[in-house]
Amino acid sequence: MARGGRTVTWLAALLLAQTPLVAETKCEGFSLRFTSPSGAPAEDDGRVEVLVQQAVLPLPFKPAMFTNIDAASMEKGVRCRTGLLAWELRPGVVLLVLPKSGRPSLDVVSLALVDLNRRKVLDGKDTTFEIASGRNERNGQVRFQLVSREAKGGLDLRVVREWLKDDGPTGAIEDWLAIRVRADRLSTAWLRP
């Protein structure tokens, strides 16, 4: 049909409509589904859900642009290391470390504790802890890796503790962040006060 000298077709209308953008990361025994309702992940509107068999468990994070980062270091108990870290704290209970955009600075981590057997999110935290570990530059692209190690009652994660003044990304001073689980609740504190 023509209006004002323009032809409007159903195909053009369809192309203008935005649809949600959905991506899924498969882990051992579960998956994570990332959804951007706007269809544009850079809009900071992304949501994350854990899929366990038929159950859908929304994670309690603020909408964000979730990014990908690989996990280094830990071997035992890792149920997902591509794009995020999923570490089995005890049978059926996983600690998720998910990166999200911290632009214009470094990516930051969000944490979640999920009981896969009971199909329940036990706790979740958005944080401001930035990732600068495992820096690798290849073909002009800078990538980082989550550097972690197992600890009693949780894990330790390398994140930025402070910055050298006026030194840019290379001025990130890292330290070990202790992520612990007590009574199905997450807590964070610097390993060394």
Side-chain angles (χ1 to χ4, degrees):
M1 122 176 101
R3 289 190 183 180
R6 297 183 199 181
T7 302
V8 179
T9 65
W10 66 271
L11 181 57
L14 182 63
L15 291 174
L16 293 174
Q18 293 182 345
T19 59
L21 178 64
V22 179
E24 192 169 312
T25 299
K26 297 208 180 287
C27 299
E28 184 184 317
F30 66 100
S31 295
L32 283 106
R33 181 169 52 205
F34 299 86
T35 305
S36 170
S38 69
E43 291 298 318
D44 291 325
D45 67 345
R47 298 288 188 175
V48 185
E49 299 167 316
V50 175
L51 309 174
V52 185
Q53 295 172 354
Q54 305 304 320
V56 177
L57 311 173
L59 295 179
F61 302 142
K62 293 177 187 168
M65 181 178 121
F66 289 91
T67 58
N68 286 309
I69 193 166
D70 293 336
S73 304
M74 295 175 32
E75 294 297 326
K76 188 176 108 183
V78 176
R79 297 198 46 184
C80 205
R81 72 172 64 245
T82 302
L84 65 128
L85 172 63
W87 184 66
E88 190 168 42
L89 181 65
R90 57 183 187 264
V93 177
V94 293
L95 174 58
L96 302 175
V97 181
L98 294 112
K100 64 183 178 184
S101 176
R103 65 184 185 275
S105 191
L106 299 171
D107 286 357
V108 297
V109 294
S110 290
L111 307 169
L113 185 64
V114 180
D115 188 324
L116 300 173
N117 295 332
R118 293 189 293 165
R119 293 173 182 76
K120 183 177 179 183
V121 176
L122 303 174
D123 199 7
K125 294 186 181 301
D126 282 310
T127 79
T128 58
F129 299 116
E130 296 172 298
I131 307 162
S133 292
R135 188 175 196 277
N136 182 347
E137 191 168 345
R138 191 178 325 161
N139 299 330
Q141 296 287 322
V142 176
R143 299 264 312 164
F144 296 97
Q145 288 187 312
L146 290 170
V147 176
S148 58
R149 64 184 182 198
E150 185 177 347
K152 186 175 180 172
L155 61 84
D156 298 332
L157 184 69
R158 291 292 285 187
V159 293
V160 177
R161 184 165 183 164
E162 62 182 302
W163 289 90
L164 294 175
K165 188 175 175 149
D166 302 325
D167 203 17
T170 57
I173 300 173
E174 295 182 282
D175 205 347
W176 288 106
L177 179 70
I179 303 168
R180 300 296 184 263
V181 177
R182 291 181 189 86
D184 290 340
R185 290 287 174 245
L186 292 166
S187 68
T188 58
W190 294 111
L191 198 56
R192 292 181 295 271

